[in-house]
Structure formats: structure tokens, C-alpha cells
Amino acid sequence: MTARIAFPAAATLLRNSLALAAGLLFFGNTALAGPDIQQWTASTGARVQFVESRALPLVDIQIDFAAGSAVEPADKAGLAGLTRGLLDAGAGTLDEQAVSDLSADIGAQIGGGTDNDRTNLSIRSLSSARELNAAVDLAATLVSDPIFPAAVLDRERERAIAGLRESLTKPGTLAARSFNEVAYSGHPYGRNVTAESLATISRDDLVAFHRDHYAARYASVSIVGDVDRATAEEIAVRLTNRLPAGVDTAPLPAPVQPAAQTLRIAHPSAQAHIVIGQPGMAREDADYFPLLVGNYVLGGGGFVSRLTREVREKRGFAYSVYSYFAPQQVAGPFEIGLQTRGTQTTEALKVVNDTLNTFIAEGPTAAELQAAKDNLVNGFGLRLDSNRKILDYVAMIGFYQLPLDWLDRYPRAVAAVSREQVRDAFSRRIRPEHLVTIIAGGDGDVEASSSAGDKGR
């Protein structure tokens, strides 16, 4: 059985984006080159990226579409995820069980997902002709001829609604959704899936979304593995030559920076979940490297970051505290996150804000900056140890149309970042007048403390 797409909370989506961004940060070493990426446009109009890798008898393929949640109708939040999730619920002459049986017979692994910008289907196959041909045929059928059975849609929609209702009992989910709504008010990135929006989605909606957005001219096909260029060209055409024509879509608008505000969400948990942030930067941003290198010092470097030192080590306010940028098609979020006891929320917030403000005003020390660059650059060789990881990076480069030597440039760009560039970028881009603070939960700790105090009087 292939994996069903879930409806991850915004925080999960952003963490995924962060993981990729962080991975790329580590993907840098001036002594090592990135993979040799070949790129062309297939006769179908799809962009193709190819890396030949003969180390293992495997081929990894991913086809990305500009069909993420940002292009859903405003009242149909969840449509992109459901459409992607039901690709393998039946396609062509295959029903759901037949898709599962066929993928098992040929040993193919099918995956993929949906985020704000893109939807993708990935497939891993042995490179032997029989298995690879069958896997490519199956993937082409799934993306070109999905059936979207009404009964499966009903089942998956109910499952998604049940999962959503369960997740809404958790303060971390409430904080992430509220941050999304406030930081991206009125923008497609700010929409949250709801039980009501899921309930309105019909099979006709899935058919229309697929017809409009799963077009070859919006597709980016990435292939990594044990095949030659000619075979890769054939695979790309077979995957995309039966796709619908699609429709033109308007470019995403840049998010409007919100006014600073603090929102509290009542919840009986003992731990308060805190999210602080604002729209940060796009995938192609002039401040990309100063912001990412600087963020490593601020809160992206784990135990060596300033936030961890001030919040966790010096004061014990939280087990973990982090910050990240999640670059997307347009400005994705900059976020700081932590959990702390409800009774110490105010103190913890003050430490976080003081640390952030000091960093914005002064930037990193020379020692901090050098340590960050050393870590990022020297980790290069450790971050490229499988075809699947290479595929993730190549697919991102292809979808966002980054330069093919972007990975080669990466270590040089990281090494060239100066203290002044970090200070300048943070002071211009992370502004107190735009920071949104969400505090969800912690009421349980307050109540426990109050009760204990009453008994002692």
C-alpha cells in the first residue's frame, strides 16, 4: 500500500522546509563539488533535471507540480492535499488494491507530499529494465489518469477530519495555526485546513484541481540514479506526455508584514507553546546567505546557538529553543519556538526577546560567525550520502529554477558572509514592529501554582 498524504500542521510543513534548508546549509565544502546536474526541457514542456549515479542499481524519480495549497480556492483548504493523496487510490484501469499489488510486485516505493508551493510524486525502483519500465508506467498512470473514487474520497476525508480534530486538542498545533493566520493574514500561506473546508470538497473539485494544475508545462521532473541520459529523456517524456493542459495561474503576491501583536490561546496544558516570528524570506533572496548563516548563531545551531545558551543553559526555561527561516516561493516564515512552564512564560519571553534584539543590534561575534561557517562548510561531505538525498536537493533546484551550480556556489557564499552583512540583513528584515507572538497553553501550570498557594494561606 502506498502512503496516503496527511494534512500536516503548518509547523510540520515549515519544519520540512527548514530541514531542506538546513540540509542545504550543510551541503557545502569548498573542497567538494556538488552533483553534476544535467537539465533540459522535454518535448512535453516539462523541465527535467538528471544526475547519473551508478553506485547502486536504483533509480529515484520525483515529479513536482506547482500545485501546492497556495493555489487552492480560498474556501477549499485541503484540496491540494486530498488531490495528491488520492492519486494512488486508483488510476487508469487499476483500482486501489491493484495499484498496491503492482507496486509490491515490482518492488517500487511510491511517496510524495504537498506543501504551500508544490505537490510531488516520487518513485524508487530497481534500475533493471523490467522493474524500471513498470515503475515508470505506474507513476505515469497515477499522475495522468487518476480516478478519484468517491468512496475512497469519503473515507480519506473522514480520516483527515478525525486527524485534524485530534490535532486541534494540542497546544502546539493551536499555536502553529494561529501564527499562520496572523503572520499571513489574507495571504494564501495563511490558510489553515478546517473540518468545514474539508467537508465541502467533492470529487468534482479533485478532478478540476488535477486538470488545472497537473500540467506538463508546470512539471519539474528530477531523476537520479543508474540510468544514462537517453533513458532519462525517455522517462521524462513517458511521465508527462499524457498530462492535462492546465491553466495559467497568477504569481503569488508577497506577504504583507503584520503589525506586532501577542495572542494568548487558553489551554489546560502545563507547558506553554510559544511561537514568535514574521514573514522572512523567499527562496531567491538577496539576503539569503547572511540570514541563514546568522540564524545558525541565533537559534539554528542547536546547543551552540545563543538562544539555547541563554534560555536553556543559563536559566533552564526550556528543554529546547530554536529559530529558523523557511524560504518559499515568496517570503516564508522566520520563527522562534520553545515550550516552557506556564508560570515562567513572561520571564522566558523576555529572555528570548532580549537575545533577539541584542543579536539584531550587534550581530554575531567574530568567533561565533567563524564557528558557524566552519560547521556549515565542513559538514558538506556528510550530507550527500544517498540518491534520495541528492534527489531532494535536485528537485528543489529544479522546481524553484535555481542555478544548476547553486550547490557548488553554496560553500563559497557561506564562507564569504561577514559580521556586518549578518547584522545589516537582520536589522533590515527582522523588525520588532512586525513580530507576532503566539502563546498557547500553560494554564495548567498556573492553576496548579495558584491552588498550591491557596492551600498554604
Side-chain angles (χ1 to χ4, degrees):
M1 174 69 73
T2 53
R4 288 262 173 264
I5 191 168
F7 289 89
T12 302
L13 293 173
L14 299 178
R15 278 196 296 274
N16 292 341
S17 298
L18 169 65
L20 184 55
L24 289 167
L25 267 176
F26 287 111
F27 191 67
N29 186 318
T30 52
L32 297 173
D36 178 19
I37 305 173
Q38 301 179 51
Q39 187 178 60
W40 65 89
T41 300
S43 58
T44 59
R47 294 191 309 278
V48 186
Q49 295 71 232
F50 169 55
V51 175
E52 185 172 341
S53 174
R54 299 290 188 171
L56 296 170
L58 296 172
V59 180
D60 285 284
I61 302 169
Q62 182 166 312
I63 178 167
D64 289 89
F65 299 95
S69 57
V71 297
E72 297 168 335
D75 60 344
K76 300 283 184 181
L79 175 57
L82 271 177
T83 303
R84 164 60 192 87
L86 265 68
L87 289 181
D88 57 4
T93 60
L94 303 172
D95 62 16
E96 186 177 33
Q97 187 60 49
V99 171
S100 179
D101 291 344
L102 179 56
S103 61
D105 287 345
I106 60 177
Q109 298 175 359
I110 300 174
T114 299
D115 61 22
N116 281 337
D117 294 335
R118 54 179 168 160
T119 281
N120 63 68
L121 178 86
S122 63
I123 189 161
R124 160 170 278 197
S125 170
L126 292 169
S127 58
S128 50
R130 173 186 173 275
E131 284 75 17
L132 181 58
N133 281 327
V136 172
D137 285 343
L138 175 58
T141 300
L142 297 183
V143 296
S144 302
D145 304 309
I147 298 171
F148 301 127
V152 179
L153 170 60
D154 291 343
R155 182 193 71 199
E156 294 303 316
R157 183 172 47 213
E158 289 306 312
R159 182 179 296 178
I161 290 173
L164 176 62
R165 286 175 173 157
E166 193 275 336
S167 72
L168 291 176
T169 65
K170 301 175 181 177
T173 301
L174 298 176
R177 289 170 64 90
S178 181
F179 176 81
N180 238 20
E181 292 172 354
V182 176
Y184 289 93
S185 178
H187 190 275
Y189 285 178
R191 295 178 196 142
N192 286 320
V193 176
T194 66
E196 292 74 21
S197 69
L198 289 170
T200 66
I201 296 172
S202 68
R203 181 181 177 279
D204 287 346
D205 293 323
L206 270 63
V207 171
F209 190 82
H210 176 268
R211 180 194 64 219
D212 292 346
H213 299 292
Y214 281 65
R217 56 184 168 142
Y218 296 137
S220 175
V221 180
S222 301
I223 303 168
V224 176
D226 183 27
V227 291
D228 58 21
R229 166 72 181 256
T231 304
E233 291 180 359
E234 178 193 352
I235 289 172
V237 171
R238 287 166 62 192
L239 285 172
T240 54
N241 64 1
R242 290 185 287 126
L243 290 172
V247 297
D248 294 332
T249 56
L252 275 177
V256 175
Q257 291 289 348
Q261 52 191 299
T262 299
L263 298 179
R264 294 180 179 271
I265 302 172
H267 190 281
S269 64
Q271 290 282 306
H273 292 243
I274 301 172
V275 180
I276 305 166
Q278 64 173 89
M281 66 173 172
R283 174 59 63 183
E284 293 186 86
D285 192 298
D287 291 324
Y288 188 95
F289 291 103
L291 290 176
L292 284 180
V293 174
N295 182 66
Y296 185 92
V297 177
L298 174 63
F303 287 113
V304 300
S305 73
R306 277 200 194 184
L307 283 170
T308 295
R309 186 168 66 243
E310 296 298 327
V311 176
R312 172 189 159 116
E313 295 180 4
K314 288 186 178 178
R315 298 168 178 86
F317 281 154
Y319 179 76
S320 71
V321 54
Y322 58 85
S323 66
Y324 67 83
F325 289 90
Q328 300 181 48
Q329 193 76 56
V330 293
F334 163 73
E335 283 191 39
I336 296 173
L338 70 154
Q339 298 175 38
T340 191
R341 288 175 51 191
T343 50
Q344 59 191 21
T345 298
T346 301
E347 295 172 278
L349 263 176
K350 183 177 186 307
V351 174
V352 169
N353 286 322
D354 287 349
T355 303
L356 174 62
N357 291 334
T358 299
F359 187 79
I360 291 172
E362 301 175 358
T365 66
E368 286 175 326
L369 182 66
Q370 189 58 53
K373 292 196 289 189
D374 287 347
N375 184 287
L376 299 174
V377 171
N378 293 335
F380 175 74
L382 303 176
R383 305 296 169 177
L384 191 62
D385 57 2
S386 73
N387 283 1
R388 199 183 296 276
K389 289 181 180 178
I390 296 173
L391 182 74
D392 285 342
Y393 305 145
V394 171
M396 184 207 71
I397 289 170
F399 180 80
Y400 288 105
Q401 301 189 51
L402 301 174
L404 291 186
D405 63 348
W406 195 79
L407 293 172
D408 289 328
R409 297 181 188 181
Y410 207 91
R412 296 193 294 272
V414 169
V417 171
S418 69
R419 290 177 60 200
E420 180 53 32
Q421 287 175 323
V422 173
R423 192 204 64 76
D424 175 63
F426 266 82
S427 65
R428 285 185 291 102
R429 305 296 292 273
I430 306 303
R431 305 290 301 176
E433 61 265 34
H434 297 309
L435 284 174
V436 171
T437 301
I438 308 295
I439 305 163
D443 303 276
D445 190 45
V446 173
E447 290 173 359
S449 176
S450 298
S451 298
D454 291 343
K455 289 177 183 177
R457 291 174 184 170

